Amino acid sequence: MHIKTIGVEEYLNIWEHDATWDIAQSTIASLTMAEILELDGKQGETFYEQLNREKMNYGWIEGSADFKQEVAKLYRNVDPDNVLQMNGGTGANLNAIMALVEPGDHVVAEYPTYQPLYDLPAALGAEVEHWQIHEEDGWQPRLDELKKLVRPDTKLICVNNASNPLGTLITTDVMEEIVEIARSVGAWVLCDEVFFPLEDADTCTSIIDLYDKGVCTNSVSKDYSVPAARCGWTVSNKELADRMRVLRDYTMICSGVFNDALATYVLRNREAIVERNLSIIRKNRAITQEWIDSEPRVSWVPPKGVSVSYIRLDIPEDDEKFCLDLLRDEGVLLVPGSRFDLPRGARLGYCAPEATLREGLKRLSGYLRKFD
């Protein structure tokens, strides 16, 4: 199987540990373990009560009953048995796509966005067509173009809500139209929802609450600020869940007892995390908007309630060269937009800790002055 390198992951694997001012990450300022233990108001007593009873064996292969129930609460009417624990959102996407795609299948994927959503189906031998997003439309795709791309034999439509790296949303009314297009040809819809909006969340609806042939992927890494747990999930109908059960035995077996307990505890205390993270989103977005308003070489479509964003850079050079020079000279980390097939820009992790964000933006402004 020939599979492309994931551009953003390759870049971060090489360069992120060289950064002093990391404003490239997509997580909402990761929680420390001390902060996590404060969530229950009992210094983590409820977490350790559970964990201390557990043997450090393989644990629940597809996720504990408690984990499945907490995930099911995120949706309207989900059978916990159809929730499968995965190795982060990455593992969730891998298993879902492997379960659905065979050589020769026709797949339509929103593009450009998170690369595995189109390159994984291609690596499995599918014919993949790109459903292009449009900057002039606020980085939105067009439904009339999807209708033209979909064929009677289309197997799968892949979308990302919210978009990584753009931070743009597919609202409920648009998702409902996507579902109707998919239903017209019997296609599945995979929606990567790891950046599902925390702010005005009622403007969007999970694909799993709209379509029986929908599968959603998610994790505790982004909205819940605990990527260290490496716990994600898929939610689907029973037919697809049973297919993915087989694949999980080849790709991961289990997430481990500790990670399951941590993710379950995080989801049980999600209201406190969401309150904390909404505050970070709103404050840091305002800081970034003020900076952009004063920075003639930078623009963006403001992200709506999510932690990931993309800035357009008015620079007379390749964005990868610019970002590497910025890292070398100023210690500031951005991900070049070209790593997402979005050249002349960068992914900005504006939900970094406030001091990091402010200093990173200040140094970025200073560096942009060399083009004046």
Side-chain angles (χ1 to χ4, degrees):
M1 179 173 71
H2 175 71
I3 190 166
K4 293 181 181 178
T5 298
I6 302 176
V8 59
E9 302 302 342
E10 179 188 46
Y11 187 86
L12 290 174
N13 285 342
I14 296 170
W15 300 112
E16 67 180 327
H17 296 295
D18 291 348
T20 304
W21 311 103
D22 185 350
I23 53 173
Q25 303 298 331
S26 53
T27 295
I28 304 173
S30 295
L31 289 158
T32 65
M33 195 64 197
E35 289 172 322
I36 291 170
L37 293 177
E38 290 174 1
L39 292 171
D40 66 355
K42 299 180 180 181
Q43 292 75 52
E45 180 181 331
T46 59
F47 173 67
Y48 284 112
E49 277 181 0
Q50 175 66 32
L51 187 64
N52 289 341
R53 292 195 298 267
E54 299 289 348
K55 290 183 179 180
M56 292 295 111
N57 54 20
Y58 283 98
W60 293 82
I61 297 301
E62 58 185 50
S64 66
D66 288 344
F67 174 84
K68 287 167 164 278
Q69 288 166 4
E70 290 302 326
V71 170
K73 291 175 185 177
L74 301 173
Y75 309 97
R76 291 177 184 168
N77 186 26
V78 163
D79 181 349
D81 192 50
N82 293 334
V83 174
L84 298 179
Q85 192 175 85
M86 298 289 182
N87 182 27
T90 303
N93 286 326
L94 173 65
N95 281 276
I97 291 170
M98 287 178 66
L100 287 168
V101 175
E102 297 178 359
D105 282 343
H106 182 244
V107 175
V108 176
E110 181 186 0
Y111 174 87
T113 183
Y114 186 52
Q115 184 180 335
L117 297 179
Y118 33 91
D119 280 348
L120 265 176
L124 292 169
E127 176 191 353
V128 179
E129 293 194 75
H130 292 162
W131 182 27
Q132 190 78 38
I133 58 173
H134 297 277
E135 186 171 10
E136 62 269 29
D137 296 340
W139 295 119
Q140 292 290 326
R142 296 171 182 169
L143 288 164
D144 62 331
E145 293 179 356
L146 178 62
K147 291 176 183 177
K148 293 175 183 176
L149 289 169
V150 165
R151 309 186 320 213
D153 64 342
T154 298
K155 182 73 166 294
L156 174 65
I157 299 170
C158 294
V159 293
N160 192 194
N161 197 24
S163 169
N164 179 15
L166 296 162
T168 51
L169 304 180
I170 301 174
T171 57
T172 297
D173 57 338
V174 175
M175 191 66 79
E176 287 174 338
E177 293 197 57
I178 294 170
V179 165
E180 287 308 306
I181 294 168
R183 185 179 281 120
S184 71
V185 295
W188 293 81
V189 178
L190 167 62
C191 188
D192 179 332
E193 297 176 357
V194 297
F195 294 104
F196 203 78
L198 297 181
E199 184 180 50
D200 299 327
D202 57 353
T203 62
C204 296
T205 303
S206 172
I207 187 64
I208 201 64
D209 290 324
L210 294 174
Y211 188 35
D212 181 60
K213 294 185 75 171
V215 52
C216 74
T217 59
N218 207 331
S219 79
V220 297
S221 297
K222 309 299 184 180
D223 284 353
Y224 302 107
S225 301
V226 190
R230 301 311 305 135
C231 253
W233 59 87
T234 57
V235 187
S236 67
N237 64 21
K238 185 178 187 304
E239 173 195 350
L240 184 58
D242 285 344
R243 284 193 235 166
M244 288 189 288
R245 283 183 169 94
V246 175
L247 289 166
R248 288 180 75 267
D249 291 341
Y250 285 92
T251 59
M252 63 175 291
I253 302 295
C254 66
S255 292
V257 172
F258 184 90
N259 288 358
D260 181 284
L262 178 58
T264 302
Y265 172 86
V266 164
L267 290 170
R268 278 181 177 153
N269 292 282
R270 59 186 171 273
E271 289 185 8
I273 297 175
V274 168
E275 181 179 0
R276 175 241 193 204
N277 286 357
L278 272 173
S279 176
I280 292 172
I281 285 171
R282 289 165 175 159
K283 185 172 185 177
N284 286 20
R285 186 175 55 203
I287 291 168
T288 307
Q289 186 65 65
E290 182 179 6
W291 174 77
I292 287 174
D293 290 342
S294 66
E295 181 46 69
R297 291 190 178 274
V298 182
S299 60
W300 73 346
V301 174
K304 298 179 179 179
V306 300
S307 60
V308 67
S309 70
Y310 172 81
I311 53 174
R312 174 65 78 192
L313 297 172
D314 179 14
I315 53 176
E317 66 182 24
D318 174 78
D319 57 16
E320 181 133 351
K321 180 183 184 304
F322 175 81
C323 288
L324 288 174
D325 289 349
L326 175 69
L327 178 62
R328 179 196 64 209
D329 296 342
E330 296 290 338
V332 176
L333 183 68
L334 293 171
V335 178
S338 56
R339 292 287 176 149
F340 296 90
D341 292 342
L342 290 162
R344 290 292 189 271
R347 187 174 78 180
L348 172 68
Y350 79 99
C351 287
E354 182 181 342
T356 299
L357 176 66
R358 288 186 181 277
E359 186 63 23
L361 294 178
K362 177 183 175 182
R363 288 171 178 263
L364 175 55
S365 279
Y367 208 69
L368 285 165
R369 297 288 77 77
K370 71 178 184 176
F371 299 122
D372 292 345

